[in-house]
Amino acid sequence: TVKIFNTGSATLTLNAVREISEGAARELAKHSGSVFLPAVDKISAEAAKELVGQPGTALVLDGLLDVSPEVAQAMTGCRRMRLRMGIKDLRPDITTIFAQCDAGLAFPNLKSLTLDSAKALQTHGGPLTTLDFGNGDKGDSHQIWVTCDQPQQPRSASVIDRS
C-alpha cells in the first residue's frame, strides 16, 4: 500500500516507475504538487483517470509516447493545472479529445502535427490554459509551421526548431 501525504507544492519524482496501477494512481493523485513519472510508458484508462482526478500543480509523463483514445478521454478530466506527455505524433482523433481538456497541455517531444490536429487544438482551453510544444527543461522553443504537400492544399504542420 502506498500512502502519499499532501506536501503542498513539493515535487514528487518517481524515476524508475514504468507501470502504474489504478490504486497507486489514486494515491499519487493526492499529492498536490507536481508529480513526475518520466519512465511510465504505458497506462490504462482507469489509472489515467485516477492520476488526473485530484487538483494539483503538474503531471509529467514524458515516457508516454502514445495513448489510446480511451486514455486520452480519461485525461480530459484533468484537475491539475498542467499535463505534460512525451507524445511525438498527435493524431487527429487523439488531438480532438485532448482539446477538451481544461488543463494546460505540453508536448515537448512533438515531431509532427497534421492540419486537422492543429485545427482541433484551436478549441483547447480557456484564459488560464496553455498549449506548449517546447522543451521547457532545456529552454528550447518550437514553432508550428504549416507545410503544403501540394500548392493551396495544406496537409500537415511540423514542429521546426527555430531557436
Side-chain angles (χ1 to χ4, degrees), residues 56-60 78-84 103-108 130 132 134 136:
T57 307
L59 173 61
V60 177
C78 187
R79 296 185 59 204
R80 293 190 170 267
M81 291 186 287
R82 183 175 163 106
L83 177 59
R84 184 171 110 179
L105 297 173
F107 304 102
T130 60
D132 183 2

Side-chain angles (χ1 to χ4, degrees), residues 83-147:
L83 177 59
R84 184 171 110 179
M85 292 165 283
I87 295 173
K88 291 184 178 187
D89 297 301
L90 275 173
R91 301 185 321 262
D93 61 329
I94 299 299
T95 308
T96 300
I97 296 168
F98 276 131
Q100 301 168 30
C101 185
D102 288 334
L105 297 173
F107 304 102
N109 298 326
L110 193 66
K111 300 294 181 203
S112 67
L113 186 70
T114 67
L115 185 59
D116 289 337
S117 292
K119 286 179 181 178
L121 288 173
Q122 291 178 356
T123 65
H124 173 255
L128 299 177
T129 59
T130 60
L131 188 57
D132 183 2
F133 297 110
N135 188 342
D137 293 342
K138 296 182 181 176
D140 295 341
S141 63
H142 298 283
Q143 296 175 341
I144 300 293
W145 295 85
V146 176
T147 59

Side-chain angles (χ1 to χ4, degrees), residues 1 3 5 9 16 20 22 26 35 43 51 53 55 63 68 71 75-76 79-80 84 88 93 108 113 122 143 151 157:
T1 301
K3 294 289 182 192
F5 298 97
S9 62
I20 187 164
E22 186 178 348
R26 185 178 311 111
V35 178
I43 193 167
L51 202 51
S68 68
V71 168
M75 289 183 169
T76 62
R79 296 185 59 204
R80 293 190 170 267
R84 184 171 110 179
K88 291 184 178 187
D93 61 329
L113 186 70
Q122 291 178 356
Q143 296 175 341

Side-chain angles (χ1 to χ4, degrees), residues 23-55:
R26 185 178 311 111
E27 290 300 318
L28 289 174
K30 293 177 183 178
H31 179 73
S32 63
S34 294
V35 178
F36 284 77
L37 300 167
V40 170
D41 56 5
K42 186 176 180 184
I43 193 167
S44 70
E46 296 80 15
K49 184 176 182 177
E50 291 293 339
L51 202 51
V52 301
Q54 297 292 324

